[in-house]
Amino acid sequence: MQGTVDGFSYGVVTPLVAYLMACLGGALGLRCTTRAMLVAHSWRPAWLVLGSAAIGSGIWTMHFVAMMGFSVKETPIHYDKPITYASLGLAILMVGVGIFIVGYRGATGTALFTGGTITGLGIASMHYLGMAGLRLNGSLQYNTLTVAASVAIGVVAATSALWAAGQIRGFLWSIGASLVMGLAVSGMHYTGMAALSVHLHDSDVPTPGDSPATLLAPMLIGPLAFLCLAAVVVIFDPLMVMGRPDRLHVEHKPGVPADEVTHHPSRRSSLRVGRQQSHHSSRTPQNR
């Protein structure tokens, strides 16, 4: 017997909130990735880890909020807590691998393709592992072609977002990329849900696991608190907001001005002319 699946039990509320969560995580993660490309190697891993956690938390939160609107008319739905939280860890891990590749190799060519593919597969893996944590009086079945389409959407979305992060064109550029990424991640989720059908069992055995309401509180307190903390880091780091490189520090040595970062030919020529004039003036006899 086929179950009656409804992915929009609360109307447009859950898709809209889920989309905003994906955009928030994407915006923070992409800005951290951009910042990592602007700093010294010693600070780069910290920014990449923060970006990985932000994107992973954002897409996991998006998935969970969207699943709050998912129901099967004939049976209650519960969740297996270890599998549900394992999907969060998997998302952060795989997204981190992709971001580290782009952060160290650059957002071009093979590195971008490899990093985007791994990140996209991480998004899809998080989704389907999270779905494996569902507990209901039935079994989940998927349409293979639709699943493949959802994975392709995730890979294209991740690759495009990482490419945008590598352009370093300022805060508004990354905001636009995060909006596109949020739309693609949401599209990947609902494409994957469209591939789902539920085959109900004949028995009325109670399903194990926690209800969505039980998982809601720790989900909001954990990943959302982290996203807020990451947002504070972005807000109080002007260089990350503006997308400008750090000011190079010149070593303080005799004869080297501390405020001179780059040498401009026009400036050198003017300095040379000034020195020559002062030299000639010093050799001119004084009037007596």
Side-chain angles (χ1 to χ4, degrees):
M1 177 181 176
Q2 291 295 115
T4 305
V5 176
D6 184 6
F8 304 93
S9 300
Y10 299 100
V12 298
V13 175
T14 50
L16 179 60
V17 176
Y19 171 71
L20 293 177
M21 291 298 101
C23 290
L24 176 61
L28 297 176
L30 292 178
R31 292 313 299 165
C32 291
T33 304
T34 297
R35 188 70 171 97
M37 297 178 182
L38 298 174
V39 298
H41 284 272
S42 59
W43 284 97
R44 188 170 298 177
W47 285 110
L48 293 176
V49 168
L50 182 62
S52 305
I55 294 178
S57 299
I59 62 177
W60 186 81
T61 305
M62 174 269 155
H63 172 83
F64 190 89
V65 171
M67 290 304 295
M68 292 296 294
F70 175 79
S71 64
V72 180
K73 183 178 180 180
E74 295 81 3
T75 179
I77 297 176
H78 301 277
Y79 290 87
D80 181 270
K81 186 177 294 186
I83 294 179
T84 300
Y85 288 110
S87 65
L88 172 61
L90 179 64
I92 295 175
L93 177 63
M94 292 193 67
V95 168
V97 173
I99 284 181
F100 265 79
I101 292 175
V102 172
Y104 279 95
R105 298 291 184 178
T108 56
T110 305
L112 178 61
F113 175 78
T114 304
T117 300
I118 295 176
T119 302
L121 291 177
I123 296 173
S125 299
M126 179 281 305
H127 173 84
Y128 289 106
L129 181 58
M131 294 299 296
L134 265 68
R135 296 293 179 264
L136 47 77
N137 188 28
S139 59
L140 306 181
Q141 299 175 347
Y142 294 94
N143 180 277
T144 304
L145 292 178
T146 311
V147 169
S150 69
V151 175
I153 291 173
V155 171
V156 172
T159 304
S160 301
L162 292 177
W163 173 83
Q167 302 309 302
I168 314 178
R169 296 183 181 178
F171 187 66
L172 293 180
W173 177 266
S174 290
I175 289 295
S178 67
L179 295 177
V180 174
M181 184 178 183
L183 182 62
V185 170
S186 299
M188 178 269 153
H189 172 85
Y190 285 105
T191 301
M193 296 305 294
L196 174 67
S197 60
V198 178
H199 181 74
L200 298 175
H201 298 158
D202 295 331
S203 61
D204 294 331
V205 178
T207 55
D210 296 315
S211 65
T214 304
L215 290 179
L216 179 61
M219 185 277 294
L220 291 177
I221 295 174
L224 283 182
F226 170 77
L227 290 176
C228 292
L229 179 61
V232 171
V233 174
V234 172
I235 292 173
F236 286 97
D237 188 351
L239 287 175
M240 182 157 60
V241 173
M242 300 303 296
R244 295 178 300 187
D246 289 334
R247 182 179 178 88
L248 298 177
H249 298 286
V250 178
E251 185 178 358
H252 294 278
K253 291 183 178 180
V256 179
D259 60 344
E260 186 174 337
V261 178
T262 57
H263 300 284
H264 301 282
S266 60
R267 186 174 181 181
R268 286 203 303 267
S269 60
S270 62
L271 290 176
R272 188 179 300 110
V273 171
R275 293 194 190 97
Q276 291 176 354
Q277 291 176 351
S278 63
H279 178 69
H280 289 301
S281 62
S282 64
R283 298 180 58 182
T284 302
Q286 297 180 352
N287 293 329
R288 295 176 180 164

